[in-house]
């Protein structure tokens, strides 16, 4: 009966009887429907900050179209490539149970879709509801090719919080005046750090704090005394972001499409690859003021970065009584300092799974395999006989356990599925650092990384514990690590070197947050657990795109189980070829 509360009062009165009859016919486990989308990858002229850029877009939209589905639905998304670039699309955070061919990272689960070609991504949303997003997963094309992916609960199933008056996706991005493909290609040539963005954006709009940008401002028009669900998504290329709304409190209710124990905060921290649903209760009466909603980065690295601030405007829509909103007092939020690791730590500590009967936290309690990975930057020798622009004339690199991942030229998943891994990858990714050192102490003299296309192979249903340790080799830095194909539980986090004797005793195995992207603390570590119940080849990488480009990535292969229902399905007939 609780479901009645979800309906607006007028609706309830008029349709109570028919609602009851429909409800009784529809069991909650009703299978979903199939939803068809078409993504035409096209070039589109977009002007921001007085710069016009011919950028890669989906259906001529920037940001791209919104996908809305329900838990249990099947999605069939036909992607047609009309641009000169190769493309592939990733459905970030979707589990892709047995449908790994639809995951999307180029050269991992598929060859890219070439110019003039198309591919139908075909997958079912199983056991997930909340906010996710989709984005290009090749080179830096996700800088303009991204959009929200919203999964509503099954029909008739309420949220575990009061039904909001309205739901509003807000997707953060980074705007570059220059072509981002040129930026990363040049950086990989010179070995130096790539140029930083010119602005941050909310729903593609930089807002009034930039030159020539006031007309490109995201406005959220609200009524007093209502609850709004803001679906926040960080699609920025290289920056974690603080976000706050002046004079309003946010209640966090979900991250990465998993409900959390609600808590209130003035400011949230959101890393690239993460999503956060917050409830915004508007003021009970028209406040005679407007409020900025701002975001700017949380920065731990040593390089240059975009320290600018994106702003949107929260505007109370009525009764204006002849007052123009521009005449109202405008309040600005105070965001934490750019380097506020104390805030970041306190915020992430508050995130806990609901862990109740309806939404249990199925944390693996018994562990089959343990892994310890260092993550961080390093260097490669300068290939040319001149000097490169990385540290001391070298080239910037990044690695996991000192292996800088070399992308194959054919997709890992095909190589695995057809038993043709020879010459594509080797199954010998180091389970711990080959040469242990003081990871967060004085950096070692030798900063050079090794490279290879090395994978970890896991048996089906292996329960995994992975500790990821930041290194201080070129400065301690926060790295938002994203795992494809799984959610994981964040059972522990700390600073300094992980202590395998002392730290596990402090793990939270009761209600740790469950998510798909977690930031390794700068100069610290994070411990995650997951059950390898999804056969396929699964990418894991830093979601700061610059670090991914430098090699901070690796992949897992999860073998088929014995039962037919535990095996990867064969590839679709239209799977792109390399
Ligand atoms: C974008 O602008 C350029 C230069 O003005 C023009 O040549 C081109 O046709 C435009 N492209 C689109 C897709 O509108
Ligand atoms: C989508 O995948 C399912 C499961 O493999 C398959 O049965 C179905 O035919 C596919 N649909 C299309 C349109 O390819
Ligand atoms: C907004 O917050 C500021 C600073 O805390 C306060 O001075 C002001 O009165 C508040 N305004 C409204 C309309 O809530
Ligand atoms: C951002 O960086 C520029 C250039 O380094 C500096 O001049 C400016 O003060 C910085 N702004 C903020 C808000 O830190
Ligand atoms: C609302 O604000 C405007 C501008 O700050 C002011 O002129 C006006 O008197 C205010 N009205 C009320 C009802 O407070
Ligand atoms: C953060 O930056 C400020 C000003 O740049 C500096 O004084 C402070 O020591 C820094 N804090 C940390 C934790 O690095
Ligand atoms: C973080 O929490 C600690 C302990 O509660 C507190 O001392 C510190 O001030 C908090 N930091 C921030 C930035 O709120
Ligand atoms: C760089 O190497 C090329 C051959 O690899 C050689 O011809 C050239 O003279 C070298 N330049 C310098 C400045 O050493
Ligand atoms: C660069 O060289 C200087 C002097 O040899 C050394 O102190 C520094 O640690 C080196 N930096 C890196 C990143 O290797
Ligand atoms: C590692 O280096 C840090 C910073 O210099 C130091 O505090 C710590 O004691 C060192 N740890 C070990 C195990 O040597
Ligand atoms: C690193 O270099 C310093 C100075 O060149 C030297 O004294 C030290 O022995 C070196 N350390 C190692 C581990 O090679
Ligand atoms: C990988 O390492 C080998 C051997 O050290 C080196 O020759 C090669 O240039 C490296 N490849 C890349 C892409 O860094
Ligand atoms: Cu990183």
């Amino acid at each position: 009966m609780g479901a009645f509360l979800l309906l607006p009062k007028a609706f309830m009165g008029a349709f109570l009887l028919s609602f009851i009859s429909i409800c009784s016919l529809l069991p909650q486990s009703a299978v979903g429907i199939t939803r068809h989308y078409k993504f035409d990858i096209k070039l589109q002229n977009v002007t921001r900050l007085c710069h016009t850029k011919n950028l890669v877009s989906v259906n001529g939209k920037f940001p791209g179209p919104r996908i809305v589905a329900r838990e249990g639905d099947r999605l069939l998304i036909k992607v047609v490539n009309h641009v000169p670039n190769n493309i592939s699309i990733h459905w970030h955070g979707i589990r892709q149970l047995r449908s790994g061919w639809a995951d999307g990272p180029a050269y991992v689960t598929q060859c890219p879709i070439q110019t003039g070609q198309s591919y139908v991504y075909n997958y079912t949303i199983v056991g997930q509801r909340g906010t996710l997003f989709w984005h290009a997963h090749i080179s830096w094309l996700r800088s303009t090719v991204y959009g929200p992916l919203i999964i509503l609960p099954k029909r008739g199933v309420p949220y575990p919080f009061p039904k909001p008056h309205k739901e509003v996706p807000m997707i953060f991005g980074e705007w570059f005046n220059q072509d981002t493909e040129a930026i990363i290609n040049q950086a990989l040539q010179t070995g130096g750090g790539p140029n930083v963005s010119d602005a941050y954006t909310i729903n593609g709009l930089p807002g009034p704090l930039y030159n020539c940008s006031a007309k490109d401002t995201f406005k959220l028009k609200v009524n007093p005394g209502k609850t709004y669900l803001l679906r926040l998504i960080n699609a920025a290329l290289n920056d974690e972001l603080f976000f706050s709304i002046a004079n309003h409190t946010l209640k966090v209710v979900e991250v990465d499409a998993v409900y959390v124990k609600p808590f209130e905060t003035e400011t949230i921290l959101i890393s690239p690859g993460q999503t956060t649903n917050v409830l915004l209760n508007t003021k009970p009466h028209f406040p005679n003021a407007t409020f900025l909603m701002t975001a700017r980065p949380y920065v731990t690295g040593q390089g240059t970065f975009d320290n600018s601030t994106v702003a949107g405007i929260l505007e109370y829509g009525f009764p204006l009584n002849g007052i123009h909103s521009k005449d109202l007092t405008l309040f600005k939020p105070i965001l934490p300092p750019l380097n506020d690791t104390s805030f970041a730590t306190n915020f992430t500590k508050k995130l806990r799974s609901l862990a109740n009967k309806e939404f249990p936290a199925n944390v693996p309690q018994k562990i089959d395999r343990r892994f310890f990975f260092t993550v961080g930057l390093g260097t490669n020798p300068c290939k040319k006989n001149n000097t490169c622009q990385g540290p001391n004339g070298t080239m910037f690199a990044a690695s996991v356990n000192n292996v800088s991942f070399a992308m194959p030229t054919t997709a890992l998943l095909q190589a695995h599925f057809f038993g043709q891994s020879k010459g594509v990858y080797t199954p010998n990714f180091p389970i711990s650092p080959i040469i242990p050192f003081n990871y967060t102490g004085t950096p070692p003299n030798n900063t050079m990384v090794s490279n290879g296309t090395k994978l970890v192979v896991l048996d089906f249903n292996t329960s995994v514990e992975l500790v990821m340790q930041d290194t201080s080799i070129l400065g301690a830095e926060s790295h938002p690590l994203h795992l494809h194909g799984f959610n994981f539980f964040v059972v522990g986090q700390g600073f300094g070197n992980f202590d395998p004797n002392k730290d596990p005793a402090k793990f939270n195995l009761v209600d740790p947050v469950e998510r798909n992207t977690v930031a390794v603390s700068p100069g610290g570590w994070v411990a995650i657990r997951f059950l390898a119940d999804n056969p396929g080849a699964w990418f894991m990488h830093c979601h700061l795109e610059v670090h991914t480009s430098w090699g901070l990535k690796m992949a897992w292969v999860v073998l088929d189980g014995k039962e037919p229902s535990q095996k990867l399905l064969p590839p679709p007939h239209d799977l792109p070829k390399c």
Side-chain angles (χ1 to χ4, degrees):
M1 292 292 124
F4 286 167
L5 299 174
L6 291 170
L7 295 169
K9 280 208 178 73
F11 186 85
M12 252 179 87
F15 299 103
L16 195 56
L17 279 174
S18 57
F19 180 70
I20 288 171
S21 54
I22 292 167
C23 234
S24 53
L25 290 175
L26 259 185
Q28 292 203 344
S29 59
V31 290
I33 62 166
T34 300
R35 293 175 196 263
H36 296 258
Y37 284 85
K38 187 167 178 230
F39 276 20
D40 281 301
I41 310 294
K42 295 199 263 196
L43 289 172
Q44 174 74 14
N45 285 327
V46 175
T47 305
R48 296 287 185 272
L49 314 177
C50 286
H51 282 260
T52 301
K53 181 158 109 162
N54 203 220
L55 52 75
V56 180
S57 75
V58 172
N59 301 347
K61 287 188 176 154
F62 170 72
R66 201 177 283 178
I67 287 184
V68 183
R70 281 189 191 277
E71 178 181 347
D73 287 352
R74 174 175 295 278
L75 285 173
L76 287 175
I77 304 152
K78 181 173 186 177
V79 177
V80 188
N81 184 359
H82 304 279
V83 301
N85 314 66
N86 282 346
I87 193 101
S88 75
I89 306 282
H90 171 51
W91 319 93
H92 184 110
I94 294 278
R95 288 282 327 266
Q96 301 291 5
L97 286 161
R98 301 176 64 212
S99 58
W101 304 106
D103 191 39
Y107 304 107
V108 177
T109 62
Q110 67 167 98
C111 298
I113 307 166
Q114 297 174 23
T115 309
Q117 304 289 305
S118 68
Y119 179 45
V120 178
Y121 290 88
N122 173 1
Y123 57 90
T124 303
I125 302 167
V126 182
Q128 295 184 279
R129 78 299 295 165
T131 305
L132 294 172
F133 68 121
W134 55 265
H135 61 77
H137 212 306
I138 181 164
S139 190
W140 276 25
L141 288 180
R142 79 175 179 86
S143 65
T144 59
V145 178
Y146 62 83
L149 200 173
I150 291 161
I151 311 164
L152 301 172
K154 287 181 180 176
R155 196 170 286 283
V157 178
Y159 294 125
F161 45 79
K163 185 175 164 62
H165 172 62
K166 270 192 181 148
E167 305 189 359
V168 185
M170 287 173 62
I171 190 159
F172 300 108
E174 266 180 281
W175 172 265
F176 295 74
N177 288 332
Q178 238 188 311
D179 173 32
T180 43
E181 288 304 281
I183 291 175
I184 184 57
N185 290 339
Q186 190 201 12
L188 294 176
Q189 285 286 316
T190 64
N195 291 352
V196 301
S197 55
D198 297 286
Y200 297 99
T201 55
I202 299 175
N203 294 345
L205 304 167
L209 305 184
Y210 297 96
N211 288 336
C212 197
S213 181
K215 67 178 191 329
D216 295 318
T217 299
F218 172 70
K219 285 192 180 154
L220 177 57
K221 293 206 165 74
V222 297
N223 292 333
K226 304 277 188 204
T227 301
Y228 293 79
L229 177 66
L230 307 184
R231 298 178 174 272
L232 307 173
I233 301 163
N234 189 347
L237 267 192
N238 293 319
D239 290 87
E240 303 184 80
L241 295 169
F242 293 121
F243 171 74
S244 184
I245 305 181
N247 295 74
H248 290 75
T249 303
L250 306 171
K251 186 186 269 181
V252 179
V253 293
E254 180 212 300
V255 297
D256 295 5
V258 185
Y259 297 127
V260 295
K261 291 194 173 84
F263 68 92
E264 291 192 348
T265 182
E266 308 282 305
T267 302
I268 67 140
L269 172 63
I270 185 166
S271 301
Q274 294 184 334
T275 55
T276 306
N277 278 5
V278 298
L279 295 176
L280 167 71
N281 288 318
T282 54
K283 299 200 172 288
H285 306 291
F286 180 67
N288 197 16
T290 52
F291 306 92
L292 282 187
M293 311 183 280
T294 60
R296 69 168 187 181
Y298 163 52
V299 181
T300 53
Q302 313 228 306
T304 51
F305 61 96
D306 175 357
N307 65 2
S308 66
T309 303
V310 55
I313 295 178
L314 179 72
E315 213 170 73
Y316 281 73
F318 77 96
L320 276 172
N321 293 337
I323 305 170
H324 289 290
S325 66
K326 64 173 171 10
D327 297 330
L328 298 176
T329 316
L330 181 66
F331 290 98
K332 286 184 191 168
I334 298 166
L335 288 169
L338 296 164
N339 60 359
D340 200 342
T341 294
S342 168
F343 178 92
T345 307
N346 291 0
F347 180 79
T348 45
K349 266 191 201 154
K350 288 184 208 149
L351 295 167
R352 298 292 173 99
S353 282
L354 268 187
N356 60 20
K357 210 168 144 219
E358 205 176 345
F359 300 101
N362 295 317
V363 190
Q365 301 288 329
K366 178 190 135 293
I367 295 299
D368 299 319
R369 294 191 67 186
R370 290 193 156 79
F371 299 87
F372 182 75
F373 291 175
T374 60
V375 295
L377 303 189
T379 56
N380 265 327
C382 194
K383 285 192 205 92
K384 306 172 201 156
N385 50 9
N386 51 341
T387 315
C388 288
Q389 287 168 18
N392 287 350
T394 63
M395 301 181 77
F396 269 116
S399 69
V400 181
N401 274 349
N402 205 42
V403 182
S404 191
F405 194 81
M407 280 319 260
T409 50
T410 182
L412 299 172
L413 188 58
Q414 275 104 317
H416 159 64
F417 186 81
F418 294 107
Q420 295 166 346
S421 61
K422 198 155 180 268
V424 181
Y425 69 83
T426 53
N428 59 345
F429 191 87
I431 62 167
S432 57
I434 310 248
I435 306 169
F437 61 101
N438 187 343
Y439 307 111
T440 55
T442 312
N445 291 357
N446 183 359
T447 60
M448 295 294 170
V449 298
S450 74
N451 67 56
T453 310
K454 299 181 181 182
L455 273 58
V456 174
V457 177
L458 296 171
D459 287 333
F460 184 81
N461 260 349
T462 302
S463 65
V464 175
E465 182 179 288
L466 166 64
V467 176
M468 289 181 283
Q469 170 77 57
D470 183 34
T471 71
S472 56
I473 292 175
L474 291 178
E477 189 167 359
S478 171
H479 298 281
L481 260 292
H482 172 52
L483 176 62
H484 290 230
F486 303 91
N487 282 341
F488 49 75
F489 292 93
V490 183
V491 298
Q493 194 141 15
F495 288 96
N497 298 331
F498 174 71
D499 183 338
N501 299 315
K502 285 195 187 136
D503 289 322
K506 290 176 262 171
F507 285 175
N508 174 4
L509 302 179
V510 177
D511 64 351
V513 68
E514 177 184 346
R515 60 189 325 169
N516 62 57
T517 305
V518 69
V520 179
S521 312
W525 53 271
V526 65
I528 65 173
R529 288 186 174 191
F530 65 96
L531 182 66
D533 59 355
N534 192 10
W538 304 110
F539 209 17
M540 191 175 84
H541 59 95
C542 183
H543 222 277
L544 305 182
E545 212 55 43
V546 53
H547 294 173
T548 310
S549 301
W550 286 341
L552 212 168
K553 53 196 170 190
M554 55 82 66
W556 307 78
V557 162
V558 177
L559 302 175
D560 281 349
K562 290 197 182 70
E563 306 297 323
S565 66
Q566 299 172 340
K567 295 184 197 303
L568 178 67
L569 294 168
H573 62 90
D574 60 343
L575 185 72
K577 294 184 173 62
C578 281

